[in-house]
Every structure is written in structure tokens, then in C-alpha cells.
Amino acid sequence: TFKLDPTTNSSIFAPTLSMVAGLSIYFATRALPIVKPVVLFDFDGTLMDSEYLVINGFAYLFQKHRSLDEFTKDIQKEVFLHPLKEEISRLFPEENTERLSREYRAYMKNIQGKHLVETLPHVKETLKTLKESGYVLGVVTGRYTDSCQMWLDDLQISEYFQIVAGTEMYRHTKPSPDGILHTCDLLKVGHDSCVYVGDGVKDVQAGKNAGVYTIAFVTNEDKRKALEEAAPNRIMNSFDELPDILKEQHSWSADLN
């Protein structure tokens, strides 16, 4: 029978404390259930393909208050960069911002239900999958809540969202974290259990400022470089990538890569 020489240093056969701790953590985390984060979404450009709609809304204002010839391609790109009132104030400095905002919203409401816009590819089936899998979903948008809700109804996706937070519900717009933090408070969830998905740099900045896990959705290759420089936690190129990302087993905060 083999016997260990008593003069042999038996510690070389014993696992070190660090090895034991490492193995314990490994097996413990493997046994833990996957934590489902709350998933919050930007609306325009992330869920709804609203580019055509927004451009037409501003074209209406230019035709009425300036000149349609002044609504150049460069300005058409710029109207997506800021909240509605900021953009109207910048483009129509001589006009009353509140009045033009009401005109814009009335125009948009008038074309509601005319099927001029649709969800982005894979949005409907992905939202359905997430809802059926037990995820709590919400929208944090620069739109007014009633406007966003009407479009969610029109697009037949409102049933998937537990909460819709429009710009009048919080103090400062993106890149401020106010909207995201306010929604997290309403849902009673911490920043380490929340994901924010958006298609713009300000979406990423707002998510990072709130301390939540950010996913940049590239819907236009012209935006890719700026989104990469904003340093989100993840970048996805197609909406149906989202379920697999959410299955990853870790906490969901901005300090994860």
C-alpha cells in the first residue's frame, strides 16, 4: 500500500485557499438563477421607424413659418438631435416655441393611424418574446407620454410595456438621467438591475449617467462611429439580438463591459 512519506511537504497536495474560494464562487454562480433586468427603451428610432414622420412634421412647420426651400438635407439630419421644443426654438427663434410645439403635435396627431410608419425590423416579435419570458419592459422617451402611448397603440405594441415615461414626467431631458432614474423609482428597481436601449448618443449618455447598463442599437451606419465613441456597454446591429444579450448572467450596471 502506498504511504505518503511524512517528510514530504503535504501542502503541495492541498488546494490553496484561493483555489477553494475560486471554485466555490464558480459553482455558486453557476447555480444562481439568471437575474432578469428591467428593460427600458427609447422610442423614436429605437422601436418606431419615425424618421419619415419627424421630417414631415418639421417640413410642415417650415412650409408654414419659414420656407420649404430652407429645410435642407443638413437641417433634416439635425432635427433628430434634440428634444422637440429645443429644436423648434433653435430653428424658429422668432416664433413662439410653445405655440409651434402644439402645431407640430396637432399635425402628428392628425396623421395618426394612417400607417405611414412602422416598427423597426424584429421589434414586435422580440418584445413579445421578452414579455412572455418574464421581463418587465418600459419606455423612456423625449416625447410627451400621450403622444408615445398613441403611437404604441397604433403600432399594436402597447401591451408589452408596463410603463411609459414621457418628457413631462421628469425634470431634464437626455442626456440627463432623470427620465431613467424616475422610471426606475416607479418600478422600484436599482440601477444595477436595469438596461436602457437606444439608438442615439444621448441615449447612451443618459443611461451611463443613470448608472444602468446601456445597449446602443445601430439603425443607421452613419451613427455607428459616434455610438462607439459614446462607449455603451454593448452595441447591437439587429433588434433580435436583445434576448441573447439579456440571458447573460451578471449584474446590469454601467460599470460592466
Side-chain angles (χ1 to χ4, degrees):
T1 303
F2 176 79
K3 293 183 179 180
L4 184 65
D5 187 335
T7 62
T8 302
N9 183 357
S10 60
S11 65
I12 64 173
F13 295 96
T16 64
L17 288 176
S18 61
M19 288 171 60
V20 172
L23 288 170
S24 298
I25 292 171
Y26 173 80
F27 287 112
T29 55
R30 296 284 287 187
L32 287 174
I34 296 174
V35 176
K36 287 184 170 65
V38 165
V39 188
L40 304 177
F41 298 89
D42 171 51
F43 181 64
D44 288 280
T46 300
L47 300 176
M48 183 172 78
D49 187 3
S50 54
E51 183 172 333
Y52 172 86
L53 190 70
V54 173
I55 288 175
N56 272 269
F58 275 94
Y60 167 79
L61 294 181
F62 266 84
Q63 186 174 38
K64 187 173 179 180
H65 298 283
R66 284 180 58 173
S67 164
L68 202 53
D69 292 337
E70 296 179 84
F71 193 39
T72 63
K73 291 290 185 183
D74 287 338
I75 292 179
Q76 290 175 29
K77 292 179 181 179
E78 292 171 3
V79 298
F80 298 96
L81 300 179
H82 306 99
L84 176 63
K85 288 185 179 179
E86 288 182 28
E87 201 60 34
I88 287 177
S89 177
R90 185 180 72 85
L91 294 172
F92 303 92
E94 304 299 321
E95 302 289 341
N96 182 286
T97 299
E98 289 294 333
R99 180 169 57 82
L100 261 65
S101 297
R102 289 194 296 269
E103 285 186 25
Y104 178 93
R105 295 184 67 207
Y107 174 81
M108 290 297 189
K109 188 174 182 179
N110 187 51
I111 62 176
Q112 203 99 30
K114 295 186 178 179
H115 308 294
L116 297 176
V117 294
E118 186 50 271
T119 56
L120 284 149
H122 308 299
V123 164
K124 288 183 177 179
E125 60 265 37
T126 300
L127 292 176
K128 185 175 186 291
T129 295
L130 294 178
K131 185 72 172 180
E132 290 176 348
S133 299
Y135 288 92
V136 173
L137 310 179
V139 177
V140 178
T141 174
R143 282 180 176 268
Y144 285 95
T145 303
D146 62 347
S147 173
C148 184
Q149 188 63 60
M150 284 189 296
W151 280 112
L152 291 171
D153 293 340
D154 189 68
L155 296 167
Q156 299 181 328
I157 56 174
S158 61
E159 64 184 288
Y160 302 121
F161 298 102
Q162 184 166 321
I163 190 168
V164 178
T167 186
E168 81 283 359
M169 292 178 63
Y170 47 89
R171 180 173 295 181
H172 302 294
T173 57
K174 294 177 284 190
S176 165
D178 283 7
I180 296 172
L181 293 177
H182 175 70
T183 307
C184 285
D185 286 344
L186 292 176
L187 293 172
K188 295 180 171 54
V189 61
H191 74 276
D192 58 345
S193 300
C194 182
V195 172
Y196 190 58
V197 183
D199 69 308
V201 168
K202 287 190 176 182
D203 297 321
V204 175
Q205 292 170 338
K208 292 174 71 174
N209 289 337
V212 305
Y213 192 92
T214 55
I215 300 177
F217 179 24
V218 180
T219 58
N220 185 327
E221 284 299 319
D222 292 340
K223 296 181 180 180
R224 182 180 294 278
K225 183 178 179 182
L227 285 171
E228 290 174 346
E229 290 174 351
N233 295 97
R234 293 288 289 271
I235 291 178
M236 66 180 189
N237 302 299
S238 179
F239 204 86
D240 56 1
E241 295 174 25
L242 188 55
D244 284 340
I245 294 174
L246 297 176
K247 289 176 184 176
E248 295 172 4
Q249 193 168 356
H250 52 68
S251 62
W252 299 93
S253 59
D255 57 358
L256 289 175
N257 292 313

